[in-house]
Amino acid sequence: MILALAIGLLAVLLLVSGFEMLMVLGIPTLAIKAGFFERMPDMVIAQKLTGGINQSLLLAIPFFLFAAELMGHGQIAGRLTGLVRALVGHARGGIGYTTIGGAMGFGAVSGSAPATVAAMGHILYPELRRAKFRDRFSLGLIVSSAETALLIPPSITLIVYGWITGTSITALFAAGLSVGIVMGLAFAILTAVEARRTGVMGDPRASLAEIGLAFRRAGWALGLPVVIMGGIYSGLFTATEAAVVSVVYAIAIEMCVYRSLDLKGLIAIAEKSAVQNAVIFLLLALGTVLSYFITLAQIPNLLIAGLDSLHAGPVLFLMAANIAFIIAGMFVDPNSIQLILVPALFPVATSLGIDPVHFGMIVAVNVTLGMVTPPFGLDLFVASSTLQTPVTEIIAGIWPFILVNLVVLMLVTYVPGIATLAPSLLL
């Protein structure tokens, strides 16, 4: 328990002091080693740093991020959005539904919420304002819709959770698809209420010829999620191999078919992706060491003993876990949240009979909430940079979506079938 308090106190002090996330995760880890495991050889730390991330599963992360950047800078995102708009844009507030559907579609080929915010923001924010949606609602809708990218496969969040816990990535992807659809529908209901309240109308109904043209324009873009998910669920290739396929496919389409990308642009995108991946893998390496210390300190056993003494069951445990994730999400990036909390809480969850896939969806929904929760939600700052809008304006528009998020979180937490039905049917 002293070890847990030391980790939490030092991390909070660093956060309040404004240090980078690498230091928030790294300095407490090194301090714990010096204070509690000083006799441990330094070589053990080096082995954990390198050995923890030396897994083929994690190769999916850099390739999916690279693919997301390629599609965001190319035409795939715009063509997917155009197809969704042709199908639903005529409904009252149709551009709002287009935003949600476009974000879900881009998430299905990228797995990255920040990339989805950047891609959808450029395309749809002007259209939302032109349709007379309120500015704050438009900002909140763009940022929140991008959360579905962390749920709908290929979700990087689910890949990290599967790596930490050993849960089947295929099962997590199946569950994430159903939970992501529930999240999208919840945002659509909020959009319908806003459209009716403010009198926002839809586009003229697209003709069959226009819909056919939209399908033809998006044909190659639609092929990507079909190839990724079809290959995974048919057993043709693994999630890691699917990530490589997505990069090859995106390069081929953007450079050879759409001709929206040249060699110079490809190199620039590769450099940007390399920097992003370097940060992520440093965090994952440090998180491996932190998880190792959590195991040595027997923190999961202490938590289980504490719950037994309180006669607490799954309901109370999941409530406490949600509170912990929500608070952490206000300050810590999504990968760090999982690296800190999942190793301690996952053994407790399984000891209480909670399905690993179900718990993974609870974690994923909490992570999506953390991406948009003030004061340090990552997507808030991505949207601010992309749309040249003060963060305070985005925060002012995000609150209705946070409430919807909390409702979805409670549904996923206490109605396990939302998460577990799809995996049981598909696998």
Side-chain angles (χ1 to χ4, degrees), residues 33 37-49:
K33 191 270 180 187
F37 302 100
E38 58 182 342
R39 295 185 179 180
M40 180 183 293
D42 291 338
M43 184 59 68
V44 174
I45 304 300
Q47 290 172 343
K48 291 296 178 182
L49 284 170

Side-chain angles (χ1 to χ4, degrees), residues 84-98 131 133 191-192 195-196 200-206:
V84 176
R85 187 168 190 174
L87 293 173
V88 303
H90 62 275
R92 179 189 288 269
I95 190 61
Y97 306 134
T98 300
F133 273 105
T191 301
R196 185 165 295 277
V200 175
M201 303 305 293
D203 298 333
R205 183 182 292 272

Side-chain angles (χ1 to χ4, degrees), residues 194-285:
E194 173 72 11
R196 185 165 295 277
R197 191 178 70 157
T198 56
V200 175
M201 303 305 293
D203 298 333
R205 183 182 292 272
S207 66
L208 290 177
E210 290 171 329
I211 293 174
L213 177 60
F215 267 107
R216 286 195 298 273
R217 283 179 51 81
W220 286 105
L222 288 172
L224 187 51
V226 172
V227 169
I228 292 174
M229 301 316 300
I232 291 174
Y233 287 113
S234 67
L236 185 62
F237 42 70
T238 65
T240 302
E241 292 165 342
V244 179
V245 170
S246 71
V247 171
V248 175
Y249 191 102
I251 291 175
I253 298 307
E254 296 291 5
M255 295 188 71
C256 302
V257 179
Y258 296 156
R259 299 186 183 279
S260 59
L261 197 64
D262 56 17
L263 182 60
K264 182 178 179 180
L266 177 63
I267 293 172
I269 292 170
E271 290 175 348
K272 181 179 179 181
S273 298
V275 172
Q276 292 175 337
N277 282 296
V279 173
I280 290 174
F281 273 81
L282 279 171
L283 290 173
L284 293 176

Side-chain angles (χ1 to χ4, degrees), residues 149-231:
L150 297 182
L151 298 169
I152 293 177
S155 163
I156 292 171
T157 296
L158 298 181
I159 292 171
V160 173
Y161 175 85
W163 165 66
I164 294 172
T165 63
T167 306
S168 165
I169 300 296
T170 305
L172 289 170
F173 278 3
L177 180 61
S178 59
V179 174
I181 291 173
V182 170
M183 181 79 77
L185 290 174
F187 289 149
I189 292 172
L190 182 59
T191 301
V193 172
E194 173 72 11
R196 185 165 295 277
R197 191 178 70 157
T198 56
V200 175
M201 303 305 293
D203 298 333
R205 183 182 292 272
S207 66
L208 290 177
E210 290 171 329
I211 293 174
L213 177 60
F215 267 107
R216 286 195 298 273
R217 283 179 51 81
W220 286 105
L222 288 172
L224 187 51
V226 172
V227 169
I228 292 174
M229 301 316 300

Side-chain angles (χ1 to χ4, degrees), residues 36-80:
F36 296 91
F37 302 100
E38 58 182 342
R39 295 185 179 180
M40 180 183 293
D42 291 338
M43 184 59 68
V44 174
I45 304 300
Q47 290 172 343
K48 291 296 178 182
L49 284 170
T50 57
I53 59 174
N54 186 24
Q55 298 189 35
S56 60
L57 173 63
L58 294 181
L59 284 174
I61 295 175
F63 283 109
F64 276 131
L65 280 177
F66 188 25
E69 290 294 330
L70 289 167
M71 292 179 285
H73 286 80
Q75 294 187 22
I76 288 178
R79 294 188 182 221
L80 286 173

